[in-house]
Amino acid sequence: TGTDPDLAVGARNALGGDGRVIFLPASNGVVDLASGSHVRVVGLAGDGLGEVMATGDLDDDFDATTNPRGDRDDLAIGAVGAANGKAVLVAGPLSPTGGLNADGIYRGGVDAEVVAITGEAPDDFFGFSLDISDGGHLLVGAIFADNLPGSGLISVSSGDRLNAGKAYLWTPDVLTTVGLGAGADSANRFYVGRRSGDHLGFAVAFVDVDGSGEDDLVLTARREDGTGLTVDEIDHGTAYISYDVP
C-alpha cells in the first residue's frame, strides 16, 4: 500500500467461508491498526480465500528508479474452497481508497486488479500451495489432481494416475498474459505425481539450490512411496528439485 512492507493476514473462514486477506501498513516495525488504512481482498462465495499466499512480481513492472517495490507488490492467494480450487492473482499496489466502492476492498470479477486462475476439475484442490519466484514465475500445486483422460492437462507417457497431484508453472508476466477466465491449462509447464495417491504439490517453493542465480523449483509429494515399494517405504514422501527453470 506504500513504500514500506505491509503485514498480510489471511482468514480463509472469514465472511462465512468466502475468505479474506487484510493488508496492514507498517512503518519502522509498527503496524498501523487504524481501519481506514487497511486494504482487503475478499473471496467469492465459498472460496476459502487466504490459507496460503505469496508475494512477488507477476506483471513485470519492477524498476529500480520508478517502481522499486514492483518486485514485491503483487500477490498470489490460494482459494481451495472453490469448486475446482483457484489461485487468485492481485496486481499491486493497492490503495485503502481503491476498489469499486473506494473503500479499500477488492473483489474478483469486479476489480481489474484481481484475476483468478481456476483448477482443471472439481476437488483438485488447486491452490493448495503456491509460490512466486524472484524472476516472476508462478507455481501452483493441486494435490488431488488426476492424470486421466478427460482430466485436463495429462502426461500420456506417465500413464493413468488417480489423485497423483500436479504442479503448474507459469513464466513471468502471468498477470498480463492469462486474462480473465483463465484455467490451469494455461500453464506453460506442468508436473504430475509418479503414482496414484502421491499428492504431488503438497508444498511448492522457489529457491536457488545450485547458486546459479536462476530460479530452481521444489515440489513435494507427501504420500509418495519409496523406490523399492516395500512395506516400510509406504507414504515416505519425496521432494523434487528442478534446476534453472526457463
Side-chain angles (χ1 to χ4, degrees):
T1 59
T3 58
D4 292 321
D6 299 325
L7 174 64
V9 181
R12 66 158 293 173
N13 290 322
L15 304 176
D18 299 351
R20 175 175 59 198
V21 177
I22 300 178
F23 303 92
L24 311 173
S27 180
N28 297 320
V30 179
V31 176
D32 186 352
L33 298 179
S35 60
S37 65
H38 300 169
V39 168
R40 298 170 177 85
V41 177
V42 299
L44 302 181
D47 271 358
L49 182 78
E51 185 167 4
V52 294
M53 69 185 89
T55 62
D57 185 4
L58 295 174
D59 52 9
D60 197 25
D61 66 347
F62 169 76
D63 185 282
T65 302
T66 62
N67 190 20
R69 295 292 301 166
D71 62 341
R72 282 290 181 271
D73 66 353
D74 304 324
L75 287 100
I77 310 170
V80 295
N84 293 16
K86 293 193 295 191
V88 176
L89 313 183
V90 184
L94 305 178
S95 168
T97 57
L100 178 66
N101 299 319
D103 55 3
I105 299 176
Y106 293 81
R107 303 169 177 85
V110 175
D111 295 292
E113 294 86 351
V114 183
V115 176
I117 300 176
T118 303
E120 295 182 278
D123 301 319
D124 273 2
F125 272 50
F126 179 81
F128 186 87
S129 60
L130 46 78
D131 198 13
I132 303 171
S133 76
D134 289 343
H137 293 88
L138 172 67
L139 185 61
V140 182
I143 61 171
F144 295 127
D146 300 326
N147 188 62
L148 298 169
S151 65
L153 294 174
I154 64 171
S155 173
V156 176
S157 62
S158 67
D160 293 352
R161 293 170 190 184
L162 182 66
N163 292 340
K166 293 179 182 175
Y168 305 80
L169 175 71
W170 284 264
T171 52
D173 206 16
V174 61
L175 265 173
T176 59
T177 58
V178 295
L180 293 175
D185 58 359
S186 66
N188 301 102
R189 182 181 296 184
F190 72 101
Y191 305 82
V192 179
R194 293 179 62 202
R195 304 183 185 94
S196 293
D198 278 358
H199 297 178
L200 183 77
F202 186 79
V204 301
F206 285 104
V207 292
D208 183 9
V209 175
D210 56 0
S212 67
E214 301 294 331
D215 293 329
D216 306 327
L217 62 85
V218 179
L219 308 173
T220 68
R222 70 163 182 163
R223 296 191 63 185
E224 183 173 326
D225 301 332
T227 56
L229 295 179
T230 59
V231 172
D232 62 349
E233 292 180 328
I234 293 175
D235 292 346
H236 269 199
T238 303
Y240 295 94
I241 301 173
S242 179
Y243 295 101
D244 298 344
V245 178

